Structures are given as structure tokens and as C-alpha cells.
Amino acid sequence: MFRWGVDADDALGAQILLGAIGLYAVESPMAFGATPDEQETSPVMFEALLERKSIATVVAYECSETEGCEAARGLAATVAALFEDDPTSWAMRWLVAHCDLVLGDIDSAAVVLDDLPGSTGYLPVLIDRARLAIARSQAKEAQKLLREAERLVEDLPKLTLLPHTYRKVIDDLQDEIEVWADNTPPPMARRNERCPCGSGRKYKVCHLGRELHPIEDRSLWLYHKMVRFAREQADDEIDSLAGVLTDVMGEPSLWAEMIKAPLISDVVLHEEEFEQGFLDGRLSTLPDDEVLLAQQWMLVDRTVFEVESTSPGSIELRDLGTGELIEVVNVDDNPMSRPGSLLIGRPLPVGDIYRAFSGFMALRPDLVQAALSVLDDKDPDALMELLGSMHRAPEIRNTDGHEMEPTEVTWSLPDGADVAEALGRAGLTDDGDSWTLVRDTANQSNALVASIQLDGDTMLGSTNSVERAGELLELIAEHVPDAVHLSTKVSALDEFDENDPPELPNQAEMLANPEIRAAIEAHMATYETEWLDSTIPALGGRTPREAAADPIAREDLIRLLASFPEVDDGAVGMSPARLRAALGL
């Protein structure tokens, strides 16, 4: 086939094997042939086909995902069992091991790969052996195998998917081991001394060149192995959690970025309990100290911390659930690490210190109890919803807490109708050019909530929310029953064209009147004072004064004030500069 780039005979051979795997997946008796003769001879044919390099490369490529590997393993194991007494028949045994690796069972794969002929230098076999060496933390051995595999990739047909896919696999594994392969641990003994491992052999023929880095350093590599396992075995779970997080954030375009976030993989490992699957498939393959460390990490839950103190490269945290103090190292200096900050995370113990491999996320003080409850339940979706809500862009709401949606309501009036008295009974005030509705709101007293303009036999009402428009409709229906409701138009804030703003009353002419100016200035001064102590939805229900005193919420407050327009010279309005001064910002 073109995407494989192999010759016609090898393409046919690969199709025969993959077709048999497909039939095996649906438990078809035709997997090994339609007649007794075909069923008797097909295992020999399958083994012979897979021993051809091009076919092995294609089959491994097609069996590189967990989906479908169960069937491939099943068919290969059935065939391999027929040749278990023939040491020269290795291909189907290798395919069993290959599928075990893909499915995360490294221990089973190791039994087969260690027993394969050393001369089996096929591209996918080299990569599988490199993956086994990585599981054993043998970085130099893995690097040697990957370099051999890299040379073989150059021989693959160009302009096909095979070289691209294999090269990416090799590059990803090389990136994981590079730092460990390029930095050799110190020798454990002299070349001709007995090896410290207790094997009785000389060091030069036992562990020379296979020394392990100290577990304090290797802990990072162990964590990378666990993350790779999560991404290989739980891609659906990662995709789903990233979707929940970005949907709640209101930023679905960030999904492709968030599926790579360390936090998501760590939640899959711990809250989704994939840590156990990682260990179950590696108990005999991982170095003993890595097994013990991974088992210790499984007991560590995500929780809420308060930063107690900081020093270069480390922070001291207090667990708000238990009161325990821990030191976390390798932490960059950033606003989240300031004393008093609240963080959600799962730092993991490495000896006497902790490391935050999956990082931290800042937490607002008002969400501490909610966070502790969610973390106690270990519900991954609920955790993503909580974290997403903290990073959702601040919402613009009016003083009743309604979402800001400019709304216009239009009525028609009978010819010659005088509605002034009726509008007065409805509680509106005649301001000359318009009628205004003023009342106390949830966060402000004496607030303007609606206005009405009369134009001949048309009456136009304006509000900044759908709820206030509904209130205005009820008032007009009760007090001006002859008015006929024609339309209600709701606009989103992002629908307004900055280059074509709506026509507004001439403020300069209004402020030229000393009485009007003095009234507006007094109203604005009162409003600003009340605003400082009002609960603001965009600040998570805190008042601006409370937010200013909180190191995390302060950032939200600064962003909110930055979104306020500055007041032009000679104009009157809510002044961000005055508010910053009042809040000590």
C-alpha cells in the first residue's frame, strides 16, 4: 500500500496478517483460514511473513495503539505457542511482547524480549528493546538501541507515514533519556572487583556501564515514565478532563494545549488511579528503589496548601487539611510562591524533601472549603470544574448581579396619547429628555436601572440586562396598558463595533449645567465609596477592599480596574485612579 511504501509482495503479506488479526478480533473462525488445510498451515505462514523486515515494520506500525493490540496479541500468542519448542521461530513471540509493551505490561514483554536472538536488529524490535531498557532506567543501553533504530529509519521508503511515525517515537524516547544517558553515574567498584550487586561476577562484566543515577535524581525520570504511561493508556481520559477544564474556563480553543498540561496527566494517574496500572506492569522491571518510591507516591493525595515561607529554589508549605509542614524544592520564584498564597497541588516525597512535578495552581481564599471537599471526593471532573471556574475570565455584571446584556424594548402608543402621568405612577422620573427608573439594587443604593425615551407614538426603553428589561415590561403593562409591545432586542457586549459606537447624549452640554454636574459628582462619589465595600461577582463575591488585601485576589482586582475606562478631563464618572488610590494600589 502507498502509505507503507513496501513492495507488492510485502504489502500483500502485511494485509494477510492484519486481516487475520481483524478476524481474530471478532472471534471469527476464519482468522486461521477457511479449510482445515489452511488452518493447519497458516501459523507457519504467519510466522514466516512476520520474519520479513518490511512486514514486521508495517505490522508494528499498525499495532502501535492500545485499540486493536489485544487481538494482535491473542493471535500472536496462539501461533507462538505452536513454536515454543523451536528457538529459531521468534517473530510471533516478539509480536506478543510488542503488544504487551503497547498495553503497558512491561514485565511480560521483558520475559520475551530478553530471550529473543541478539541478532534480531529489526527496527520495531530495536525500539521495543529500547523501551524495556528505559523501564529499567538503563539510559545508555536505550540510547545505543535508539541510535541503531534511527539509522534504520533512514532506509524506510520516503513520502510515506512510516518514517515520520517511527522518527517521532524515537525522538520522544531520546528526549526522555538524553540527560540521563549523557551524564554517567560514578562507578560502584573497580573493574576487576566483585560487583556490589552480589552476583559474584566481576564488576566489568556485570554492572559496569549499567550504573543507576541516585534515586533523588532519578525520581524525575520515574515521574516522566508514569506520565508517558498515562498518555499512552489513558488518552481518552486526558482528552475528556481537558475538555471539562477548558469548557468551564470558557476557552475551548485551549484544549489542544491543556491535554499536554502536567496537571491533567497527574490527575489521570492519581484520581483516575492509573498509578496502580503503571506499577502492576513493571514490578519486576523497574529498579527496586523506583518501585518503592512509586508505591509511596500512590499514598499522596492532592490537597490545599498555604505558603509559609520561601527561600531560593524552595518553599515551605502547610497542608491545610492536616497542618503538616513540608519543603518543596526546585520551585521557581513567582507570585504564587509568596507567603500567604493558597495553592492546590500534589508535591511528591523524594527522601526528606518534596518535588512538585505536576506544579501548583493558585486558589482563591473563598474556595478553600469547596476545594477540600472536591479533593476529598477524588472526583476528577469536579476538580476540573473547580479549577476551570478560577481561571474563567471575570464576568461583567450590573449591580443586581445580572449578566450585562444591553437590551432595548420598543412599544407603540395610541395617537396623541399622554403617558406622562402613567409613567410617573410606574415610578419613573421625568429628566427632561427621558424618563428614568431609579431604585436600590443588590449592590448599590439609588441606582439607575432603566430609561425610556418618547418619540411621537413610539416608546423606547433601555436597560443593561434582560432581567431589568423584564421588570420594565411588567411596569409598562401595569401602568400603561394601551402601550403595545413591539420588540425586545438583546445585544451581547462583544457585538458592539468600536468603530461605529452608538450615539450618546452630549455629556459636555449636560455637565455645563452646574446643578446637574454637582448632582452627578455627588452621586459618583457616593457610588465609588459604596463600591469599595460591595460584593463584586467578578471578584468571586469579595469586596474590592477584601480583594486588595488578598495576594491572589489582588491580581483579579488589578485586572478588573484596568478594564475600567479612564475619565476624560472635564468629564464625570467612576475613576479607576481614585479607586486605586483608595485601595492602596
Side-chain angles (χ1 to χ4, degrees):
M1 294 178 69
F2 175 74
R3 67 173 179 168
W4 299 333
V6 298
D7 64 34
D9 287 344
D10 286 345
L12 177 60
Q15 287 176 314
I16 290 172
L17 278 174
L18 295 171
I21 291 171
L23 291 171
Y24 190 92
V26 296
E27 301 180 358
S28 170
M30 300 287 288
F32 290 94
T35 66
D37 287 344
E38 289 178 351
Q39 292 171 358
E40 183 178 351
T41 59
S42 60
V44 176
M45 178 182 65
F46 291 165
E47 174 73 21
L49 287 173
L50 195 60
E51 287 182 3
R52 293 162 69 169
K53 285 188 177 182
S54 294
I55 294 178
T57 301
V58 169
V59 171
Y61 164 80
E62 294 293 341
C63 297
S64 60
E65 304 288 341
T66 55
E67 184 178 358
C69 251
E70 289 282 4
R73 190 196 185 283
L75 182 136
T78 301
V79 175
L82 300 175
F83 297 99
E84 61 181 347
D85 295 327
D86 181 1
T88 64
S89 298
W90 59 268
M92 282 295 169
R93 288 190 292 127
W94 158 71
L95 184 56
V96 171
H98 173 80
C99 292
D100 282 335
L101 284 173
V102 173
L103 295 169
D105 188 356
I106 311 299
D107 289 346
S108 296
V111 174
V112 176
L113 291 173
D114 287 341
D115 194 44
L116 287 184
S119 59
T120 311
Y122 290 17
L123 172 59
V125 178
L126 291 171
I127 293 176
D128 287 346
R129 280 178 158 157
R131 288 169 68 94
L132 177 57
I134 290 172
R136 290 169 168 163
S137 294
Q138 297 293 340
K140 283 195 174 295
E141 175 67 15
Q143 186 181 61
K144 175 185 174 183
L145 291 163
L146 291 173
R147 285 175 175 169
E148 289 183 45
E150 200 169 29
R151 287 192 289 271
L152 293 181
V153 169
E154 298 303 319
D155 297 331
L156 292 177
K158 303 299 187 287
L159 303 178
T160 68
L161 293 175
L162 289 180
H164 169 77
T165 301
Y166 276 112
R167 189 173 289 111
K168 185 179 187 310
V169 171
I170 293 170
D171 288 346
D172 288 347
L173 294 175
Q174 284 179 328
D175 288 345
E176 181 179 321
I177 67 170
E178 182 178 16
V179 65
W180 314 106
D182 292 345
N183 294 277
T184 305
M188 299 185 294
R190 294 182 182 276
R191 291 176 54 84
N192 290 312
E193 292 178 349
R194 291 189 181 276
C195 187
C197 75
S199 66
R201 295 185 294 174
K202 289 185 177 182
Y203 179 56
K204 66 182 179 181
V205 296
C206 189
H207 270 83
L208 179 62
R210 299 175 59 203
E211 300 87 355
L212 296 177
H213 294 79
I215 187 61
E216 291 78 13
D217 297 333
R218 212 172 349 115
S219 61
L220 176 60
W221 190 7
L222 171 62
Y223 188 76
H224 285 168
K225 296 177 195 177
M226 298 177 77
V227 169
R228 176 160 51 82
F229 172 80
R231 290 175 175 165
E232 290 172 349
Q233 303 297 319
D235 55 339
D236 289 344
E237 287 82 355
I238 288 175
D239 290 352
S240 175
L241 290 178
V244 173
L245 178 65
T246 53
D247 284 349
V248 175
M249 290 172 62
E251 296 284 355
S253 62
L254 294 179
W255 177 84
E257 179 180 342
M258 293 309 300
I259 60 174
K260 304 173 186 175
L263 170 70
I264 302 288
S265 298
D266 194 68
V267 170
V268 166
L269 282 168
H270 190 64
E271 279 80 359
E272 298 268 15
E273 301 182 351
F274 273 77
E275 290 165 314
Q276 187 64 59
F278 172 83
L279 267 181
D280 288 345
R282 292 162 175 77
L283 287 173
S284 301
T285 310
L286 282 176
D288 291 343
D289 53 1
E290 292 185 28
V291 171
L292 291 174
L293 189 58
Q295 290 172 333
Q296 185 180 6
W297 288 352
M298 288 175 61
L299 303 176
V300 179
D301 290 333
R302 202 174 316 279
T303 190
V304 178
F305 297 93
E306 181 178 1
V307 179
E308 290 286 314
S309 62
T310 65
S311 57
S314 69
I315 56 177
E316 185 180 46
L317 302 178
R318 179 169 61 88
D319 185 332
L320 294 190
T322 65
E324 179 186 5
L325 288 175
I326 65 172
E327 180 187 9
V328 182
V329 302
N330 299 109
V331 178
D332 295 332
D333 185 22
N334 61 68
M336 286 198 306
S337 62
R338 294 170 183 163
S341 299
L342 297 174
L343 309 172
I344 285 181
R346 194 173 78 99
L348 299 173
V350 181
D352 295 331
I353 50 87
Y354 284 72
R355 297 191 65 179
F357 298 118
S358 59
F360 292 103
M361 290 192 75
L363 181 68
R364 296 201 315 255
D366 61 305
L367 292 178
V368 168
Q369 292 305 316
L372 289 172
S373 177
V374 166
L375 294 170
D376 189 53
D377 292 340
K378 293 187 178 180
D379 183 336
D381 286 343
L383 176 58
M384 292 298 104
E385 290 171 359
L386 174 74
L387 298 177
S389 68
M390 293 191 304
H391 291 268
R392 186 168 48 225
E395 297 177 341
I396 303 177
R397 294 180 176 271
N398 63 24
T399 55
D400 277 317
H402 305 149
E403 184 179 353
M404 292 282 276
E405 296 177 292
T407 306
E408 290 185 350
V409 185
T410 305
W411 296 265
S412 66
L413 300 172
D415 291 342
D418 185 359
V419 296
E421 183 178 345
L423 292 176
R425 288 197 305 270
L428 281 83
T429 303
D430 185 0
D431 291 337
D433 292 334
S434 64
W435 292 75
T436 56
L437 177 64
V438 177
R439 61 164 172 78
D440 292 343
T441 65
N443 294 299
Q444 180 186 339
S445 60
N446 204 36
L448 173 65
V449 297
S451 65
I452 286 180
Q453 289 186 321
L454 300 175
D455 184 10
D457 61 356
T458 301
M459 186 164 63
L460 179 65
S462 299
T463 69
N464 61 12
S465 72
V466 172
E467 293 83 355
R468 287 180 174 179
E471 177 184 350
L472 189 58
L473 279 165
E474 290 180 2
L475 285 173
I476 297 304
E478 178 182 354
H479 296 284
V480 193
D482 292 337
V484 177
H485 177 219
L486 298 179
S487 66
T488 299
K489 179 184 178 184
V490 181
S491 303
L493 290 177
D494 57 7
E495 291 179 5
F496 288 97
D497 186 349
E498 295 179 355
N499 299 317
D500 185 22
E503 186 176 349
L504 300 174
N506 189 315
Q507 190 182 58
E509 294 180 3
M510 293 174 56
L511 295 178
N513 184 317
E515 293 182 359
I516 293 178
R517 184 182 186 90
I520 294 177
E521 288 176 342
H523 170 76
M524 191 53 61
T526 301
Y527 177 71
E528 287 182 0
T529 301
E530 291 179 347
W531 186 84
L532 296 172
D533 296 300
S534 301
T535 56
I536 307 299
L539 298 176
R542 286 184 292 270
T543 69
R545 291 191 199 278
E546 292 170 343
D550 181 271
I552 297 176
R554 172 187 287 252
E555 300 301 321
D556 292 333
L557 176 61
I558 290 172
R559 284 193 294 269
L560 181 63
L561 290 174
S563 70
F564 290 3
E566 296 291 343
V567 180
D568 296 332
D569 291 341
V572 177
M574 189 172 181
S575 169
R578 285 197 300 267
L579 294 173
R580 291 189 189 96
L583 293 166
L585 301 177

